[in-house]
Amino acid sequence: MTHRHEDVWVRTDDPSVIGAVRRAAVALAGAAGFDQSRTGQLAVAVTEAVSNLVKHADEGAVLVRPHPERPGAVELVAVDRGPGIADLVSALRDGYSTSGTLGIGLGAIARMATGWDVHSMPGRGTVLALHFTRDGLPGPPLRVSGLRRPIGEETVCGDAFAFADTGDAISVLVCDGLGHGSPAAHASREAVRIFAEDPYAPPAVALERLHRGLGHTRGGAVAVVRVGREKVTFAGLGNVSGWIAHAEGRQGMISLPGIAGHVGRRPRQYEYGLPPHATVVLHTDGLTERWDPVSYPGLFAHSPAVVGATLLRDAGSRRDDACVVAVKQGQ
């Protein structure tokens, strides 16, 4: 099964966004069949989280959407560049309060969610991910997450991702459509469609099909990765970056020069060992390659959504479409 979403990030610099994000979350809950009680809990948690951003956060932004791994669940991702939460254990206790951070009321918010994850660094900011399911339904496996953001004030993103999870292996596509706006988005949507026809094909085979199939579009930079239990297989054409990241550093994966659909040699795939607890990260050139896992203590022990949102916040450019996907095998 493949997944692709239009992510709408909302900057939390105006109190009117609190109601707008709450209504969006409640609408998603209704579409997913949440009962009145569970919808109410979601509404309270979302209202509190977004209110914290509006009142206290520096450069806050929030995303609410169907969960990428389980469309029947609702996900909220909130980021800020505030002072961070110095003591997360205290922040999760009721009555804890500090200015400039998402930490206010965090314990109550977390209890209302099916699952949650938070990472904070003093002086760098906080990332919070929450997900909500209907009563009786389990949460998503939290093995893969993708996040996108369009250039500047654009509403259409020219980057896209899709993935499929068999349990033993996770296959991921990332496409950066050439240019920006609708023509780039058309190319990346077409890449998602082609990938979805056979998402479990070996990466080089999938990339060959994408290269042939994108000729009627602008084309773009494309990467396909298959993340198994102990190895990663990667094939790329163009400047989509692939990394195997862990607390001590990262290893880059080889992408060949070219533009899928137009220019490029026959795709090749490369195999890499997957260390225990490593995270595979793919991103378009809307994120700089200069991020370093060592400068994020503890981050790569967190969920894919928190890893991806942190990198998008810190390495993402407003001068380009941006997309990042993080994959963990959960060993």
Side-chain angles (χ1 to χ4, degrees), residues 23-280:
R23 288 189 293 274
V26 167
L28 289 172
F34 283 45
D35 64 22
Q36 187 173 355
S37 172
R38 190 69 180 124
T39 300
Q41 291 176 326
L42 173 143
V44 170
V46 169
T47 299
E48 286 298 308
V50 181
S51 296
N52 285 351
L53 285 167
V54 170
K55 293 174 186 174
H56 305 290
D58 299 330
E59 297 182 55
V62 63
L63 166 71
V64 62
R65 63 179 182 177
H67 196 281
E69 291 176 292
R70 189 154 291 160
V74 178
E75 180 181 47
L76 179 140
V77 180
V79 303
D80 73 29
R81 294 181 184 273
I85 304 169
D87 185 351
L88 271 173
V89 174
S90 294
L92 288 163
R93 290 201 301 264
D94 291 338
Y96 174 86
S97 178
T98 184
S99 62
T101 178
L102 276 164
I104 298 168
L106 187 56
I109 293 167
R111 281 198 302 276
M112 286 182 272
T114 304
W116 60 276
D117 188 23
V118 62
H119 180 260
S120 191
M121 291 180 62
R124 300 276 288 276
T126 302
V127 174
L128 170 68
L130 306 168
H131 59 266
F132 304 83
T133 59
R134 302 197 311 267
D135 283 338
L137 278 188
L142 306 182
R143 283 155 52 89
V144 57
S145 182
L147 297 152
R148 305 187 304 147
R149 188 178 67 198
I151 185 173
E153 301 302 317
E154 277 275 357
T155 56
V156 177
C157 185
D159 296 354
F161 72 91
F163 65 87
D165 186 351
T166 66
D168 288 328
I170 303 165
S171 297
V172 179
L173 161 80
V174 171
C175 179
D176 179 352
L178 199 63
H180 309 293
S182 295
H186 171 67
S188 63
R189 280 195 299 267
E190 187 66 3
V192 168
R193 185 192 67 77
I194 294 167
F195 174 79
E197 290 175 350
D198 188 7
Y200 302 113
V205 174
L207 191 57
E208 180 70 40
R209 290 177 55 246
L210 287 156
H211 193 29
R212 290 198 310 266
L214 292 175
H216 67 288
T217 74
R218 281 190 171 189
V222 175
V224 179
V225 68
R226 185 175 178 86
V227 183
R229 295 288 180 186
E230 297 179 345
K231 70 177 183 180
V232 179
T233 310
F234 180 88
L237 196 56
N239 56 353
V240 172
S241 298
W243 306 95
I244 300 169
H246 44 80
E248 290 77 40
R250 64 182 187 176
Q251 177 181 7
M253 296 186 281
I254 296 171
S255 181
L256 300 177
I259 301 169
H262 297 282
V263 180
R265 292 176 285 166
R266 184 178 181 86
R268 288 184 57 191
Q269 65 186 35
Y270 299 86
E271 278 194 3
Y272 304 87
L274 182 65
H277 312 298
T279 302
V280 175

Side-chain angles (χ1 to χ4, degrees), residues 11 149-155 317-321:
R11 289 202 293 266
R149 188 178 67 198
I151 185 173
E153 301 302 317
E154 277 275 357
T155 56
S317 168
R318 282 286 178 188
R319 297 183 297 276
D320 198 358
D321 294 325

